[in-house]
Amino acid sequence: MKKQIRFSKKAPKASGQASVKGLRQTLAQWERKRKLWKFYFYSFVVLPVFMIMLAVKVLRTYVRIKLQEIAITAEIER
């Protein structure tokens, strides 16, 4: 004789409960995707633009300082 395998008896879910669970899962997936896209946007758009702007500002400051040094040495030589 074969031994019968018993499955645990679960109460059937109402259709409303199943759809609510599905909606919660879908919303959680959308939230994860939104956070991932937000991370991508900041990593690949905002951060590089900020770094370029900062580099331009540093370069301008460096050039201004060098021009001031040249002007000061030119005045002294006169």
Side-chain angles (χ1 to χ4, degrees):
M1 280 173 73
K2 287 186 176 181
K3 189 175 182 181
Q4 267 188 336
I5 299 173
R6 290 190 171 186
F7 295 100
S8 63
K9 294 181 181 180
K10 292 182 181 176
K13 291 185 178 178
S15 62
Q17 287 177 342
S19 63
V20 167
K21 184 178 180 183
L23 283 174
R24 284 187 182 148
Q25 288 175 344
T26 305
L27 287 175
Q29 287 175 350
W30 285 353
E31 185 66 22
R32 282 191 293 271
K33 285 183 182 180
R34 186 184 72 80
K35 286 181 182 178
L36 190 61
W37 280 108
K38 188 176 178 181
F39 171 75
Y40 287 154
F41 177 74
Y42 280 105
S43 296
F44 298 114
V45 177
V46 174
L47 186 62
V49 168
F50 175 74
M51 289 173 57
I52 290 170
M53 288 173 49
L54 186 63
V56 167
K57 194 166 190 172
V58 167
L59 188 63
R60 281 184 179 175
T61 305
Y62 177 77
V63 169
R64 191 180 71 222
I65 290 171
K66 287 298 175 185
L67 288 175
Q68 285 176 354
E69 289 176 359
I70 292 170
I72 289 172
T73 57
E75 284 182 9
I76 293 174
E77 291 177 1
R78 285 188 194 181

